Amino acid sequence: MLVVKKFGGTSVANKERIYNVANRCIEEYKAGNDVVVVLSAMGKYTDELIDMAKDINDHPPKREMDMLFTIGEQMSVALMSMAMNKLGVPSVSLNAFQVAMHTTSVYGNARIKRIDSERIRNELEQRKIVIVTGFQGVNKYDDYTTLGRGGSDTTAVALAAALHADKCEIYTDVDGVYTADPRVVPTARKLKVITYDEMLELATLGAGVLHNRSVELAKKYNVQLVVRSSLNTHEGTIIKEDTKMEKMLVSGVAADPDAARVAVIGLKDEPGVAFKLFNALAKKNINVDMILQSVGRHGTKDISFTCSDEDADLAKDVIEELMEFESIDVDKKVAKVSIVGAGMQSNAGVAAKMFEALFDENINIRMISTSEIRVTVLINEKNTERAVNAIHDKFDLGEDR
Ligand code: ADP
Ligand code: ASP
Ligand code: MG
């Protein structure tokens, strides 16, 4: 059996944890399996690298950021291999160049295109544990790229797909995927299973437990994922294709504070305005999420949308340069809160119940958007925790108390 095991930053944060991970991997290896390990940078090292960079230059070039980032993962894989060596088990650490992890060229947000599996297979054939850097890749210019924050999960799933692994396990600092972030909602309950689609929505809407691209890839290549803790042996959460399991009305609540709302007031009410506006934003690679257009009046209309905090000022500049309007307002102190569940498509009243939970807490809704399996609202950022807890309670998602 070939197993891919990924360990996040907390799981390799110090010497003791590194040995803990080494031992878990060795156990799998001694059971006769081929083991590929994917690691993140130790603890909060990636954040420390960002601080170091910003101290030198508050707008560091993205290429150089990726060059810097790669040392974090390179450090953990080398140390892990040293630990395994000390424990008497043959292992080898490989970075993105050595594996040949080909990505698109966008620094800071690259996508994996192709992985050469030959080197890894050769090392496995020699009965070594292969330890690969997460998060990083190489582009067509032979430069390092990174996959976006939290991207090591995606490295693991991509490797599992490329190597046709029998198992892909994501080890982290919580016991699995919960009905809400267990650090925000103390009563959150661990899910036994969740579908790719639900997990993809949750991850995209702010549940940081998995990188959303990893779920997208897992679905595409049918890689069954398990999320579990590196610190105990509890059963984790299985993420797989929809089966006959009962569809949960609501399987989880997610929050994303990294949202900003841009409101453009008094645009001309004529054809092509929305096209011109959003086309200009797309050309600048600004991802727009929720969109709201008001009913036209006196020949004008308003368009509001959300994007990431980071892109909001650029979005404003682009619109000011291109469009005619009365005023524009950027609000970064907003957050998205969402409920996700495959069962809601056949149940009326789910959205109303969510709104009622917010009404009970006297929390105002600024924008709303829905899909077949989710409802998202935009609220004032300071109310996020209260909103998530209230919604979680309203749908009775928690442990029995
Ligand atoms: P790693 O370094 O292992 O990749 P992350 O910090 O990226 O770990 O992801 C794990 C964290 O995700 C948890 O500590 C938890 O606070 C957070 N989280 C957010 N939403 C959820 C959820 N629905 N279920 C479990 N964890 C969640
Ligand atoms: N070290 C990277 C980060 O902190 C990648 C990861 O942890 O998955 O974002
Ligand atoms: Mg992570």
Side-chain angles (χ1 to χ4, degrees):
M1 190 157 75
L2 197 161
V3 184
V4 174
K5 290 171 163 327
K6 180 262 170 179
F7 296 87
T10 332
S11 305
V12 292
N14 54 39
K15 177 178 165 184
E16 192 198 338
R17 297 258 172 95
I18 288 177
Y19 270 102
N20 168 55
V21 168
N23 279 315
R24 286 191 87 133
C25 296
I26 287 170
E27 204 178 302
E28 186 88 55
Y29 171 88
K30 290 202 166 150
N33 298 318
D34 287 333
V35 182
V36 175
V37 185
V38 176
L39 300 183
S40 296
M42 293 169 70
K44 300 253 171 266
Y45 196 65
T46 306
D47 294 321
E48 285 170 34
L49 291 173
I50 293 175
D51 290 345
M52 265 186 246
K54 297 225 155 142
D55 191 37
I56 298 278
N57 176 347
D58 48 4
H59 289 293
K62 289 200 162 154
R63 178 192 179 280
E64 305 309 333
M65 268 325 287
D66 282 357
M67 190 72 181
L68 183 66
F69 277 146
T70 52
I71 67 173
E73 271 65 18
Q74 192 147 322
M75 181 160 107
S76 19
V77 295
L79 293 173
M80 184 60 67
S81 190
M82 290 176 198
M84 291 183 182
N85 177 272
K86 179 90 176 168
L87 295 168
V89 172
S91 61
V92 59
S93 64
L94 298 174
N95 67 14
F97 255 107
Q98 292 166 316
V99 170
M101 187 91 64
H102 302 277
T103 71
T104 55
S105 25
V106 194
Y107 300 106
N109 195 21
R111 286 173 164 246
I112 296 174
K113 289 204 307 199
R114 185 169 52 83
I115 298 176
D116 297 344
S117 52
E118 202 184 318
R119 174 77 191 262
I120 297 180
R121 290 213 180 272
N122 283 342
E123 302 287 1
L124 289 174
E125 262 164 40
Q126 295 170 46
R127 276 304 280 155
K128 288 183 197 163
I129 295 182
V130 180
I131 310 158
V132 181
T133 49
F135 185 44
Q136 55 182 252
V138 181
N139 69 13
K140 64 181 175 198
Y141 309 112
D142 274 354
D143 278 343
Y144 275 121
T145 54
T146 58
L147 309 179
R149 296 305 305 271
S152 298
D153 301 328
T154 299
T155 308
V157 174
L159 275 171
L163 297 165
H164 304 289
D166 301 281
K167 270 204 290 187
C168 184
E169 300 173 327
I170 309 287
Y171 287 86
T172 184
D173 55 6
V174 286
D175 285 0
V177 178
Y178 282 71
T179 49
D181 186 339
R183 295 185 204 288
V184 175
V185 180
T187 56
R189 185 171 45 86
K190 190 177 79 186
L191 299 164
K192 274 200 158 68
V193 280
I194 184 167
T195 65
Y196 292 126
D197 286 338
E198 289 172 302
M199 192 61 233
L200 183 57
E201 291 277 12
L202 281 176
T204 305
L205 295 165
V209 64
L210 280 178
H211 192 229
N212 68 344
R213 283 278 300 146
S214 72
V215 187
E216 215 171 274
L217 278 185
K219 179 178 156 99
K220 186 166 169 193
Y221 294 103
N222 205 16
V223 177
Q224 184 168 313
L225 292 180
V226 177
V227 176
R228 54 189 300 193
S229 169
S230 65
L231 301 168
N232 60 47
T233 53
H234 298 171
E235 245 175 71
T237 301
I238 297 170
I239 299 144
K240 59 178 187 180
E241 196 55 71
D242 202 359
T243 55
K244 286 197 190 71
M245 68 181 143
E246 197 183 331
K247 289 206 165 86
M248 298 260 285
L249 189 57
V250 173
S251 51
V253 187
D256 185 1
D258 177 27
R261 192 220 48 184
V262 181
V264 195
I265 315 293
L267 286 155
K268 277 196 189 141
D269 191 12
E270 62 186 22
V273 169
F275 164 66
K276 196 169 159 191
L277 196 159
F278 291 111
N279 190 42
L281 296 177
K283 282 199 174 133
K284 292 279 180 192
N285 273 325
I286 298 174
N287 268 326
V288 169
D289 183 22
M290 306 164 92
I291 298 177
L292 192 75
Q293 177 175 309
S294 70
V295 179
R297 52 175 155 64
H298 312 306
T300 68
K301 63 184 172 191
D302 311 332
I303 292 181
S304 306
F305 62 88
T306 61
C307 60
S308 70
D309 279 333
E310 199 191 342
D311 285 341
D313 293 324
L314 177 61
K316 182 172 183 242
D317 292 347
V318 169
I319 295 165
E320 276 177 338
E321 203 167 292
L322 190 79
M323 314 290 297
E324 272 178 55
F325 55 86
E326 280 158 27
S327 64
I328 186 165
D329 179 57
V330 174
D331 187 353
K332 293 186 189 171
K333 298 232 168 315
V334 291
K336 275 186 291 189
V337 173
S338 312
I339 51 171
V340 171
M344 69 172 75
Q345 41 192 328
S346 52
N347 268 279
V350 176
K353 198 164 165 183
M354 178 187 190
F355 304 154
E356 186 186 8
L358 295 167
F359 169 60
D360 292 346
E361 288 289 316
N362 199 21
I363 295 171
N364 192 33
I365 300 172
R366 311 271 296 269
M367 279 169 110
I368 300 170
S369 80
T370 61
S371 83
E372 278 188 330
I373 64 164
R374 79 171 163 98
V375 183
T376 301
V377 296
L378 194 74
I379 60 169
N380 198 320
E381 197 173 275
K382 70 172 199 282
N383 295 326
T384 311
E385 268 197 51
R386 213 152 47 86
V388 171
N389 274 288
I391 295 164
H392 194 267
D393 267 2
K394 184 63 99 187
F395 285 97
D396 242 342
L397 299 179
E399 298 279 13
D400 296 337
R401 272 162 291 165

